[in-house]
Amino acid sequence: MDPSCAFDRVAVVGTGGYGWHFLCALLATKRLHVRAVTSTTDTQSSLIKQSGLVKQKHTDKQKRIAKLRELGAEIVEYNDPTSEAFAAAFSDIHTVVSAVGLSGVTSQIAMIDGALAAGVRWFIPSEYGVAHYASTWMPFPSPLAPKTDVDRYLRDHAMPRGLAHTVIYTGMALDYLDPASIGLKLASRSATLVGRGGTPVSFTPAHNVVQLVCDIVQRPHEMMNRTIRFASSTAKMRELIKVATNGEHGERVKIVCVDEAKAKFCELAKHQDPRAFQIYSRLLIEEGLGQINRMNEPLDNAMFPDIDAEPVGRTLERLMEHSEPNVQINPTPAHRTASAKSVTDGLGRRFRDFNM
């Protein structure tokens, strides 16, 4: 631990998914006191409960916690996601990194209140994806709408009371989410395309997201009270389909018109069918909402020169090869003052567009 660091006590909420990777990366720096904050109960859908997988997931979680203890993490558990519970969990913590999944986004309001009560200085909400933009055609709030509420609460309620925050947008991570959720069926080398597939989409693989968050946490004074937009590459769905299908078309690609997809989404969403989110993701992409700088915001890639950004085409190839990325966590990231590049050259020539 670096005694000169004023933000050397970090809590990560969530020990699965990104939470696990954030914790391991932060522990690997050997400069921080790292606390894993985790629920005593795993919230699972009734479908998973009926399938008998809860016991296995509980066992997996206990193994993760044991490994985190072995790596040097402090473990704090809470029963209910209340502000009082989070205040106790965040005692003596400087920075909170939320890694809750989509179903836990609304719990971040209580998390923020708990952070305020505990005297936390900096809160990083669980984003690591795309910003939420309302779709004019949707008859009810989108699945991502609660993220906007959290961002607004941080800005209007928490920041005036002394809690800094940083919102991080990275686009889609195809090695974290199932590529089939956006229509890429890698096992069968086939695809389903909604619309024309010609709108740009931002992508950042999971290991680059982990490197980014680990770097940001170690540079608080540069990163507080700002939005970070980082994309390893930008591509269009029809370009990715060429990779997923080995350049073949015809029977390997099913094309669905936008109106048909919208009708199917509304039908599934009314019954809370989880398949609705997959269709929503494809509609979001076709509508142009999958690009993190669609409003011409500058990308911040230049601020993180130590991250070797992996193009999305390589991510797909790696997934089809069943190979793992070579991940290196920089324990002492350089403090950079370089300004972010513009949207036109923010990814550099190599990553501007993934042309096949």
mmCIF file of all heavy atoms in Angstrom, residues 166-217:
data_model
loop_
_atom_site.group_PDB
_atom_site.id
_atom_site.type_symbol
_atom_site.label_atom_id
_atom_site.label_comp_id
_atom_site.label_asym_id
_atom_site.label_seq_id
_atom_site.Cartn_x
_atom_site.Cartn_y
_atom_site.Cartn_z
ATOM 1 N N THR A 166 -17.539 9.334 -10.918
ATOM 2 C CA THR A 166 -17.023 9.189 -12.274
ATOM 3 C C THR A 166 -17.878 8.157 -12.995
ATOM 4 O O THR A 166 -18.027 7.028 -12.517
ATOM 5 C CB THR A 166 -15.550 8.729 -12.280
ATOM 6 O OG1 THR A 166 -14.767 9.682 -11.558
ATOM 7 C CG2 THR A 166 -15.024 8.617 -13.706
ATOM 8 N N VAL A 167 -18.448 8.549 -14.123
ATOM 9 C CA VAL A 167 -19.250 7.647 -14.948
ATOM 10 C C VAL A 167 -18.371 7.151 -16.094
ATOM 11 O O VAL A 167 -17.694 7.942 -16.750
ATOM 12 C CB VAL A 167 -20.501 8.359 -15.493
ATOM 13 C CG1 VAL A 167 -21.286 7.439 -16.421
ATOM 14 C CG2 VAL A 167 -21.381 8.828 -14.339
ATOM 15 N N ILE A 168 -18.374 5.833 -16.308
ATOM 16 C CA ILE A 168 -17.487 5.224 -17.300
ATOM 17 C C ILE A 168 -18.318 4.519 -18.367
ATOM 18 O O ILE A 168 -19.066 3.582 -18.061
ATOM 19 C CB ILE A 168 -16.527 4.211 -16.640
ATOM 20 C CG1 ILE A 168 -15.744 4.883 -15.506
ATOM 21 C CG2 ILE A 168 -15.583 3.612 -17.667
ATOM 22 C CD1 ILE A 168 -14.961 3.915 -14.642
ATOM 23 N N TYR A 169 -18.184 4.958 -19.620
ATOM 24 C CA TYR A 169 -18.850 4.316 -20.749
ATOM 25 C C TYR A 169 -17.803 3.624 -21.619
ATOM 26 O O TYR A 169 -16.806 4.243 -22.015
ATOM 27 C CB TYR A 169 -19.615 5.332 -21.587
ATOM 28 C CG TYR A 169 -20.761 5.999 -20.866
ATOM 29 C CD1 TYR A 169 -20.871 7.386 -20.820
ATOM 30 C CD2 TYR A 169 -21.738 5.243 -20.224
ATOM 31 C CE1 TYR A 169 -21.922 8.004 -20.162
ATOM 32 C CE2 TYR A 169 -22.789 5.850 -19.553
ATOM 33 C CZ TYR A 169 -22.874 7.233 -19.531
ATOM 34 O OH TYR A 169 -23.910 7.835 -18.868
ATOM 35 N N THR A 170 -18.035 2.353 -21.897
ATOM 36 C CA THR A 170 -17.061 1.568 -22.667
ATOM 37 C C THR A 170 -17.684 0.842 -23.855
ATOM 38 O O THR A 170 -16.980 0.128 -24.566
ATOM 39 C CB THR A 170 -16.383 0.534 -21.766
ATOM 40 O OG1 THR A 170 -17.389 -0.272 -21.132
ATOM 41 C CG2 THR A 170 -15.535 1.210 -20.696
ATOM 42 N N GLY A 171 -18.987 0.985 -24.060
ATOM 43 C CA GLY A 171 -19.619 0.235 -25.137
ATOM 44 C C GLY A 171 -19.857 -1.210 -24.736
ATOM 45 O O GLY A 171 -19.922 -1.545 -23.554
ATOM 46 N N MET A 172 -19.945 -2.083 -25.717
ATOM 47 C CA MET A 172 -20.272 -3.484 -25.462
ATOM 48 C C MET A 172 -19.013 -4.338 -25.354
ATOM 49 O O MET A 172 -18.040 -4.112 -26.072
ATOM 50 C CB MET A 172 -21.166 -4.019 -26.576
ATOM 51 C CG MET A 172 -22.512 -3.323 -26.650
ATOM 52 S SD MET A 172 -23.629 -4.126 -27.823
ATOM 53 C CE MET A 172 -25.135 -3.191 -27.508
ATOM 54 N N ALA A 173 -19.056 -5.315 -24.456
ATOM 55 C CA ALA A 173 -17.954 -6.261 -24.277
ATOM 56 C C ALA A 173 -18.434 -7.638 -24.709
ATOM 57 O O ALA A 173 -19.174 -8.303 -23.976
ATOM 58 C CB ALA A 173 -17.491 -6.287 -22.823
ATOM 59 N N LEU A 174 -18.022 -8.063 -25.884
ATOM 60 C CA LEU A 174 -18.534 -9.321 -26.422
ATOM 61 C C LEU A 174 -17.969 -10.544 -25.719
ATOM 62 O O LEU A 174 -18.510 -11.636 -25.868
ATOM 63 C CB LEU A 174 -18.244 -9.403 -27.924
ATOM 64 C CG LEU A 174 -19.032 -8.433 -28.803
ATOM 65 C CD1 LEU A 174 -18.777 -8.733 -30.270
ATOM 66 C CD2 LEU A 174 -20.529 -8.509 -28.504
ATOM 67 N N ASP A 175 -16.881 -10.376 -24.964
ATOM 68 C CA ASP A 175 -16.366 -11.502 -24.197
ATOM 69 C C ASP A 175 -16.883 -11.494 -22.769
ATOM 70 O O ASP A 175 -16.492 -12.324 -21.954
ATOM 71 C CB ASP A 175 -14.835 -11.537 -24.209
ATOM 72 C CG ASP A 175 -14.209 -10.232 -23.744
ATOM 73 O OD1 ASP A 175 -14.947 -9.233 -23.609
ATOM 74 O OD2 ASP A 175 -12.993 -10.203 -23.515
ATOM 75 N N TYR A 176 -17.784 -10.561 -22.462
ATOM 76 C CA TYR A 176 -18.454 -10.526 -21.164
ATOM 77 C C TYR A 176 -19.930 -10.881 -21.340
ATOM 78 O O TYR A 176 -20.469 -11.723 -20.630
ATOM 79 C CB TYR A 176 -18.310 -9.137 -20.538
ATOM 80 C CG TYR A 176 -18.888 -9.031 -19.143
ATOM 81 C CD1 TYR A 176 -18.230 -9.608 -18.065
ATOM 82 C CD2 TYR A 176 -20.082 -8.360 -18.913
ATOM 83 C CE1 TYR A 176 -18.757 -9.526 -16.785
ATOM 84 C CE2 TYR A 176 -20.609 -8.266 -17.637
ATOM 85 C CZ TYR A 176 -19.949 -8.847 -16.576
ATOM 86 O OH TYR A 176 -20.487 -8.764 -15.314
ATOM 87 N N LEU A 177 -20.566 -10.238 -22.310
ATOM 88 C CA LEU A 177 -21.923 -10.601 -22.682
ATOM 89 C C LEU A 177 -21.867 -11.730 -23.705
ATOM 90 O O LEU A 177 -20.856 -11.926 -24.378
ATOM 91 C CB LEU A 177 -22.648 -9.395 -23.280
ATOM 92 C CG LEU A 177 -22.768 -8.160 -22.384
ATOM 93 C CD1 LEU A 177 -23.330 -6.998 -23.182
ATOM 94 C CD2 LEU A 177 -23.640 -8.457 -21.187
ATOM 95 N N ASP A 178 -22.945 -12.447 -23.849
ATOM 96 C CA ASP A 178 -23.012 -13.495 -24.853
ATOM 97 C C ASP A 178 -23.184 -12.846 -26.224
ATOM 98 O O ASP A 178 -24.142 -12.099 -26.441
ATOM 99 C CB ASP A 178 -24.207 -14.413 -24.540
ATOM 100 C CG ASP A 178 -24.300 -15.588 -25.498
ATOM 101 O OD1 ASP A 178 -23.508 -15.653 -26.457
ATOM 102 O OD2 ASP A 178 -25.190 -16.434 -25.291
ATOM 103 N N PRO A 179 -22.267 -13.079 -27.182
ATOM 104 C CA PRO A 179 -22.426 -12.485 -28.513
ATOM 105 C C PRO A 179 -23.775 -12.807 -29.161
ATOM 106 O O PRO A 179 -24.273 -12.038 -29.990
ATOM 107 C CB PRO A 179 -21.276 -13.096 -29.312
ATOM 108 C CG PRO A 179 -20.239 -13.427 -28.287
ATOM 109 C CD PRO A 179 -21.030 -13.855 -27.072
ATOM 110 N N ALA A 180 -24.381 -13.928 -28.742
ATOM 111 C CA ALA A 180 -25.692 -14.285 -29.298
ATOM 112 C C ALA A 180 -26.751 -13.261 -28.919
ATOM 113 O O ALA A 180 -27.775 -13.151 -29.594
ATOM 114 C CB ALA A 180 -26.106 -15.677 -28.816
ATOM 115 N N SER A 181 -26.504 -12.492 -27.839
ATOM 116 C CA SER A 181 -27.486 -11.504 -27.424
ATOM 117 C C SER A 181 -27.638 -10.389 -28.445
ATOM 118 O O SER A 181 -28.656 -9.696 -28.471
ATOM 119 C CB SER A 181 -27.104 -10.908 -26.055
ATOM 120 O OG SER A 181 -25.905 -10.167 -26.152
ATOM 121 N N ILE A 182 -26.631 -10.200 -29.295
ATOM 122 C CA ILE A 182 -26.769 -9.212 -30.370
ATOM 123 C C ILE A 182 -26.825 -9.897 -31.737
ATOM 124 O O ILE A 182 -26.630 -9.260 -32.770
ATOM 125 C CB ILE A 182 -25.648 -8.162 -30.335
ATOM 126 C CG1 ILE A 182 -24.271 -8.805 -30.519
ATOM 127 C CG2 ILE A 182 -25.685 -7.373 -29.037
ATOM 128 C CD1 ILE A 182 -23.155 -7.782 -30.733
ATOM 129 N N GLY A 183 -27.075 -11.210 -31.725
ATOM 130 C CA GLY A 183 -27.328 -11.928 -32.960
ATOM 131 C C GLY A 183 -26.158 -12.661 -33.561
ATOM 132 O O GLY A 183 -26.273 -13.201 -34.667
ATOM 133 N N LEU A 184 -25.017 -12.740 -32.862
ATOM 134 C CA LEU A 184 -23.843 -13.425 -33.390
ATOM 135 C C LEU A 184 -23.740 -14.814 -32.760
ATOM 136 O O LEU A 184 -23.406 -14.940 -31.580
ATOM 137 C CB LEU A 184 -22.578 -12.616 -33.096
ATOM 138 C CG LEU A 184 -22.545 -11.190 -33.656
ATOM 139 C CD1 LEU A 184 -21.303 -10.458 -33.169
ATOM 140 C CD2 LEU A 184 -22.615 -11.193 -35.173
ATOM 141 N N LYS A 185 -24.038 -15.842 -33.538
ATOM 142 C CA LYS A 185 -24.036 -17.222 -33.037
ATOM 143 C C LYS A 185 -22.744 -17.895 -33.493
ATOM 144 O O LYS A 185 -22.666 -18.492 -34.560
ATOM 145 C CB LYS A 185 -25.265 -17.955 -33.554
ATOM 146 C CG LYS A 185 -26.566 -17.222 -33.209
ATOM 147 C CD LYS A 185 -27.753 -17.778 -33.968
ATOM 148 C CE LYS A 185 -29.007 -16.937 -33.713
ATOM 149 N NZ LYS A 185 -30.163 -17.385 -34.526
ATOM 150 N N LEU A 186 -21.724 -17.776 -32.644
ATOM 151 C CA LEU A 186 -20.381 -18.170 -33.042
ATOM 152 C C LEU A 186 -20.236 -19.678 -33.206
ATOM 153 O O LEU A 186 -19.479 -20.134 -34.058
ATOM 154 C CB LEU A 186 -19.370 -17.651 -32.017
ATOM 155 C CG LEU A 186 -19.369 -16.136 -31.774
ATOM 156 C CD1 LEU A 186 -18.244 -15.746 -30.834
ATOM 157 C CD2 LEU A 186 -19.260 -15.360 -33.080
ATOM 158 N N ALA A 187 -20.937 -20.459 -32.397
ATOM 159 C CA ALA A 187 -20.803 -21.922 -32.477
ATOM 160 C C ALA A 187 -21.242 -22.453 -33.829
ATOM 161 O O ALA A 187 -20.625 -23.363 -34.382
ATOM 162 C CB ALA A 187 -21.604 -22.579 -31.362
ATOM 163 N N SER A 188 -22.305 -21.875 -34.377
ATOM 164 C CA SER A 188 -22.822 -22.334 -35.671
ATOM 165 C C SER A 188 -22.366 -21.457 -36.823
ATOM 166 O O SER A 188 -22.773 -21.672 -37.963
ATOM 167 C CB SER A 188 -24.352 -22.367 -35.641
ATOM 168 O OG SER A 188 -24.877 -21.069 -35.385
ATOM 169 N N ARG A 189 -21.538 -20.446 -36.510
ATOM 170 C CA ARG A 189 -21.058 -19.501 -37.527
ATOM 171 C C ARG A 189 -22.217 -18.888 -38.304
ATOM 172 O O ARG A 189 -22.190 -18.773 -39.532
ATOM 173 C CB ARG A 189 -20.092 -20.198 -38.489
ATOM 174 C CG ARG A 189 -18.847 -20.770 -37.848
ATOM 175 C CD ARG A 189 -17.953 -19.656 -37.284
ATOM 176 N NE ARG A 189 -16.638 -20.146 -36.908
ATOM 177 C CZ ARG A 189 -16.332 -20.625 -35.717
ATOM 178 N NH1 ARG A 189 -17.253 -20.669 -34.765
ATOM 179 N NH2 ARG A 189 -15.104 -21.046 -35.451
ATOM 180 N N SER A 190 -23.245 -18.471 -37.566
ATOM 181 C CA SER A 190 -24.417 -17.868 -38.190
ATOM 182 C C SER A 190 -24.779 -16.596 -37.428
ATOM 183 O O SER A 190 -24.183 -16.283 -36.400
ATOM 184 C CB SER A 190 -25.591 -18.843 -38.198
ATOM 185 O OG SER A 190 -25.962 -19.202 -36.869
ATOM 186 N N ALA A 191 -25.769 -15.861 -37.943
ATOM 187 C CA ALA A 191 -26.116 -14.594 -37.312
ATOM 188 C C ALA A 191 -27.557 -14.213 -37.642
ATOM 189 O O ALA A 191 -28.123 -14.650 -38.644
ATOM 190 C CB ALA A 191 -25.175 -13.486 -37.777
ATOM 191 N N THR A 192 -28.135 -13.390 -36.760
ATOM 192 C CA THR A 192 -29.436 -12.768 -36.995
ATOM 193 C C THR A 192 -29.229 -11.264 -36.963
ATOM 194 O O THR A 192 -28.705 -10.726 -35.983
ATOM 195 C CB THR A 192 -30.459 -13.178 -35.926
ATOM 196 O OG1 THR A 192 -30.629 -14.599 -35.956
ATOM 197 C CG2 THR A 192 -31.808 -12.503 -36.188
ATOM 198 N N LEU A 193 -29.616 -10.597 -38.025
ATOM 199 C CA LEU A 193 -29.409 -9.159 -38.148
ATOM 200 C C LEU A 193 -30.748 -8.438 -38.140
ATOM 201 O O LEU A 193 -31.636 -8.759 -38.918
ATOM 202 C CB LEU A 193 -28.671 -8.843 -39.451
ATOM 203 C CG LEU A 193 -28.482 -7.363 -39.803
ATOM 204 C CD1 LEU A 193 -27.599 -6.684 -38.763
ATOM 205 C CD2 LEU A 193 -27.889 -7.212 -41.194
ATOM 206 N N VAL A 194 -30.890 -7.469 -37.241
ATOM 207 C CA VAL A 194 -32.078 -6.615 -37.208
ATOM 208 C C VAL A 194 -31.774 -5.356 -38.010
ATOM 209 O O VAL A 194 -30.836 -4.619 -37.678
ATOM 210 C CB VAL A 194 -32.472 -6.252 -35.767
ATOM 211 C CG1 VAL A 194 -33.586 -5.209 -35.763
ATOM 212 C CG2 VAL A 194 -32.928 -7.503 -35.013
ATOM 213 N N GLY A 195 -32.539 -5.114 -39.060
ATOM 214 C CA GLY A 195 -32.334 -3.940 -39.897
ATOM 215 C C GLY A 195 -31.185 -4.119 -40.862
ATOM 216 O O GLY A 195 -30.892 -5.226 -41.318
ATOM 217 N N ARG A 196 -30.471 -3.033 -41.140
ATOM 218 C CA ARG A 196 -29.395 -3.052 -42.127
ATOM 219 C C ARG A 196 -28.021 -3.298 -41.528
ATOM 220 O O ARG A 196 -27.078 -3.654 -42.237
ATOM 221 C CB ARG A 196 -29.372 -1.727 -42.893
ATOM 222 C CG ARG A 196 -30.635 -1.479 -43.723
ATOM 223 C CD ARG A 196 -30.487 -0.200 -44.533
ATOM 224 N NE ARG A 196 -31.614 0.006 -45.428
ATOM 225 C CZ ARG A 196 -31.691 1.000 -46.311
ATOM 226 N NH1 ARG A 196 -30.698 1.879 -46.385
ATOM 227 N NH2 ARG A 196 -32.744 1.119 -47.089
ATOM 228 N N GLY A 197 -27.871 -3.049 -40.240
ATOM 229 C CA GLY A 197 -26.581 -3.293 -39.595
ATOM 230 C C GLY A 197 -25.501 -2.315 -39.997
ATOM 231 O O GLY A 197 -24.313 -2.658 -39.985
ATOM 232 N N GLY A 198 -25.879 -1.077 -40.309
ATOM 233 C CA GLY A 198 -24.907 -0.110 -40.781
ATOM 234 C C GLY A 198 -24.563 0.997 -39.811
ATOM 235 O O GLY A 198 -23.832 1.931 -40.176
ATOM 236 N N THR A 199 -25.081 0.946 -38.590
ATOM 237 C CA THR A 199 -24.790 2.001 -37.618
ATOM 238 C C THR A 199 -23.553 1.635 -36.786
ATOM 239 O O THR A 199 -23.352 0.473 -36.434
ATOM 240 C CB THR A 199 -25.984 2.227 -36.669
ATOM 241 O OG1 THR A 199 -26.308 0.985 -36.020
ATOM 242 C CG2 THR A 199 -27.193 2.718 -37.434
ATOM 243 N N PRO A 200 -22.726 2.623 -36.454
ATOM 244 C CA PRO A 200 -21.514 2.333 -35.666
ATOM 245 C C PRO A 200 -21.858 1.891 -34.242
ATOM 246 O O PRO A 200 -22.795 2.395 -33.626
ATOM 247 C CB PRO A 200 -20.770 3.674 -35.654
ATOM 248 C CG PRO A 200 -21.376 4.484 -36.753
ATOM 249 C CD PRO A 200 -22.803 4.035 -36.847
ATOM 250 N N VAL A 201 -21.069 0.965 -33.720
ATOM 251 C CA VAL A 201 -21.236 0.461 -32.356
ATOM 252 C C VAL A 201 -19.875 0.498 -31.662
ATOM 253 O O VAL A 201 -18.859 0.131 -32.255
ATOM 254 C CB VAL A 201 -21.784 -0.985 -32.349
ATOM 255 C CG1 VAL A 201 -22.110 -1.418 -30.922
ATOM 256 C CG2 VAL A 201 -22.993 -1.122 -33.252
ATOM 257 N N SER A 202 -19.856 0.931 -30.410
ATOM 258 C CA SER A 202 -18.619 0.970 -29.625
ATOM 259 C C SER A 202 -18.410 -0.357 -28.909
ATOM 260 O O SER A 202 -19.351 -0.916 -28.336
ATOM 261 C CB SER A 202 -18.677 2.098 -28.590
ATOM 262 O OG SER A 202 -18.893 3.347 -29.208
ATOM 263 N N PHE A 203 -17.176 -0.839 -28.925
ATOM 264 C CA PHE A 203 -16.845 -2.103 -28.268
ATOM 265 C C PHE A 203 -15.565 -1.947 -27.449
ATOM 266 O O PHE A 203 -14.621 -1.268 -27.865
ATOM 267 C CB PHE A 203 -16.618 -3.211 -29.302
ATOM 268 C CG PHE A 203 -17.850 -3.606 -30.076
ATOM 269 C CD1 PHE A 203 -18.108 -3.041 -31.314
ATOM 270 C CD2 PHE A 203 -18.751 -4.520 -29.561
ATOM 271 C CE1 PHE A 203 -19.240 -3.396 -32.036
ATOM 272 C CE2 PHE A 203 -19.888 -4.890 -30.270
ATOM 273 C CZ PHE A 203 -20.125 -4.322 -31.513
ATOM 274 N N THR A 204 -15.555 -2.581 -26.278
ATOM 275 C CA THR A 204 -14.355 -2.703 -25.461
ATOM 276 C C THR A 204 -14.402 -4.068 -24.789
ATOM 277 O O THR A 204 -15.367 -4.366 -24.070
ATOM 278 C CB THR A 204 -14.284 -1.602 -24.380
ATOM 279 O OG1 THR A 204 -14.309 -0.322 -25.011
ATOM 280 C CG2 THR A 204 -12.997 -1.723 -23.566
ATOM 281 N N PRO A 205 -13.403 -4.926 -24.992
ATOM 282 C CA PRO A 205 -13.434 -6.250 -24.366
ATOM 283 C C PRO A 205 -13.291 -6.144 -22.852
ATOM 284 O O PRO A 205 -12.783 -5.142 -22.319
ATOM 285 C CB PRO A 205 -12.246 -6.971 -24.997
ATOM 286 C CG PRO A 205 -11.310 -5.874 -25.374
ATOM 287 C CD PRO A 205 -12.185 -4.724 -25.787
ATOM 288 N N ALA A 206 -13.725 -7.172 -22.163
ATOM 289 C CA ALA A 206 -13.772 -7.142 -20.701
ATOM 290 C C ALA A 206 -12.419 -6.854 -20.077
ATOM 291 O O ALA A 206 -12.317 -6.096 -19.108
ATOM 292 C CB ALA A 206 -14.326 -8.468 -20.176
ATOM 293 N N HIS A 207 -11.337 -7.428 -20.617
ATOM 294 C CA HIS A 207 -10.033 -7.215 -19.983
ATOM 295 C C HIS A 207 -9.580 -5.767 -20.128
ATOM 296 O O HIS A 207 -8.911 -5.234 -19.240
ATOM 297 C CB HIS A 207 -8.988 -8.187 -20.529
ATOM 298 C CG HIS A 207 -8.612 -7.992 -21.957
ATOM 299 N ND1 HIS A 207 -9.370 -8.471 -22.997
ATOM 300 C CD2 HIS A 207 -7.547 -7.358 -22.521
ATOM 301 C CE1 HIS A 207 -8.789 -8.157 -24.142
ATOM 302 N NE2 HIS A 207 -7.688 -7.466 -23.882
ATOM 303 N N ASN A 208 -9.961 -5.101 -21.221
ATOM 304 C CA ASN A 208 -9.646 -3.675 -21.351
ATOM 305 C C ASN A 208 -10.475 -2.850 -20.386
ATOM 306 O O ASN A 208 -9.997 -1.832 -19.844
ATOM 307 C CB ASN A 208 -9.887 -3.197 -22.772
ATOM 308 C CG ASN A 208 -8.788 -3.569 -23.758
ATOM 309 O OD1 ASN A 208 -8.985 -3.497 -24.968
ATOM 310 N ND2 ASN A 208 -7.625 -3.982 -23.271
ATOM 311 N N VAL A 209 -11.734 -3.249 -20.140
ATOM 312 C CA VAL A 209 -12.575 -2.554 -19.159
ATOM 313 C C VAL A 209 -11.944 -2.650 -17.772
ATOM 314 O O VAL A 209 -11.867 -1.664 -17.029
ATOM 315 C CB VAL A 209 -14.003 -3.135 -19.138
ATOM 316 C CG1 VAL A 209 -14.828 -2.499 -18.015
ATOM 317 C CG2 VAL A 209 -14.695 -2.921 -20.477
ATOM 318 N N VAL A 210 -11.459 -3.831 -17.422
ATOM 319 C CA VAL A 210 -10.829 -4.035 -16.112
ATOM 320 C C VAL A 210 -9.574 -3.172 -15.990
ATOM 321 O O VAL A 210 -9.345 -2.521 -14.957
ATOM 322 C CB VAL A 210 -10.494 -5.522 -15.903
ATOM 323 C CG1 VAL A 210 -9.704 -5.725 -14.615
ATOM 324 C CG2 VAL A 210 -11.774 -6.353 -15.880
ATOM 325 N N GLN A 211 -8.756 -3.165 -17.033
ATOM 326 C CA GLN A 211 -7.555 -2.323 -17.019
ATOM 327 C C GLN A 211 -7.923 -0.851 -16.853
ATOM 328 O O GLN A 211 -7.279 -0.112 -16.106
ATOM 329 C CB GLN A 211 -6.776 -2.523 -18.315
ATOM 330 C CG GLN A 211 -6.113 -3.889 -18.439
ATOM 331 C CD GLN A 211 -5.524 -4.119 -19.819
ATOM 332 O OE1 GLN A 211 -6.158 -3.829 -20.833
ATOM 333 N NE2 GLN A 211 -4.311 -4.630 -19.861
ATOM 334 N N LEU A 212 -8.979 -0.424 -17.558
ATOM 335 C CA LEU A 212 -9.414 0.973 -17.499
ATOM 336 C C LEU A 212 -9.856 1.357 -16.094
ATOM 337 O O LEU A 212 -9.419 2.386 -15.546
ATOM 338 C CB LEU A 212 -10.554 1.191 -18.491
ATOM 339 C CG LEU A 212 -11.191 2.580 -18.516
ATOM 340 C CD1 LEU A 212 -10.211 3.605 -19.043
ATOM 341 C CD2 LEU A 212 -12.471 2.564 -19.363
ATOM 342 N N VAL A 213 -10.709 0.549 -15.484
ATOM 343 C CA VAL A 213 -11.217 0.863 -14.146
ATOM 344 C C VAL A 213 -10.084 0.863 -13.131
ATOM 345 O O VAL A 213 -10.014 1.745 -12.263
ATOM 346 C CB VAL A 213 -12.324 -0.133 -13.750
ATOM 347 C CG1 VAL A 213 -12.718 0.043 -12.284
ATOM 348 C CG2 VAL A 213 -13.549 0.046 -14.651
ATOM 349 N N CYS A 214 -9.169 -0.100 -13.235
ATOM 350 C CA CYS A 214 -8.042 -0.161 -12.317
ATOM 351 C C CYS A 214 -7.171 1.090 -12.454
ATOM 352 O O CYS A 214 -6.692 1.653 -11.460
ATOM 353 C CB CYS A 214 -7.222 -1.421 -12.595
ATOM 354 S SG CYS A 214 -5.928 -1.742 -11.381
ATOM 355 N N ASP A 215 -6.974 1.553 -13.674
ATOM 356 C CA ASP A 215 -6.194 2.763 -13.920
ATOM 357 C C ASP A 215 -6.904 3.984 -13.343
ATOM 358 O O ASP A 215 -6.291 4.820 -12.658
ATOM 359 C CB ASP A 215 -6.004 2.925 -15.434
ATOM 360 C CG ASP A 215 -4.892 3.907 -15.791
ATOM 361 O OD1 ASP A 215 -4.686 4.868 -15.037
ATOM 362 O OD2 ASP A 215 -4.248 3.716 -16.833
ATOM 363 N N ILE A 216 -8.200 4.100 -13.588
ATOM 364 C CA ILE A 216 -8.969 5.249 -13.106
ATOM 365 C C ILE A 216 -8.939 5.335 -11.584
ATOM 366 O O ILE A 216 -8.741 6.414 -11.012
ATOM 367 C CB ILE A 216 -10.419 5.164 -13.623
ATOM 368 C CG1 ILE A 216 -10.461 5.468 -15.124
ATOM 369 C CG2 ILE A 216 -11.343 6.123 -12.866
ATOM 370 C CD1 ILE A 216 -11.811 5.225 -15.772
ATOM 371 N N VAL A 217 -9.133 4.206 -10.901
ATOM 372 C CA VAL A 217 -9.169 4.199 -9.438
ATOM 373 C C VAL A 217 -7.872 4.730 -8.848
ATOM 374 O O VAL A 217 -7.870 5.355 -7.783
ATOM 375 C CB VAL A 217 -9.451 2.764 -8.924
ATOM 376 C CG1 VAL A 217 -9.186 2.647 -7.438
ATOM 377 C CG2 VAL A 217 -10.896 2.380 -9.236
#
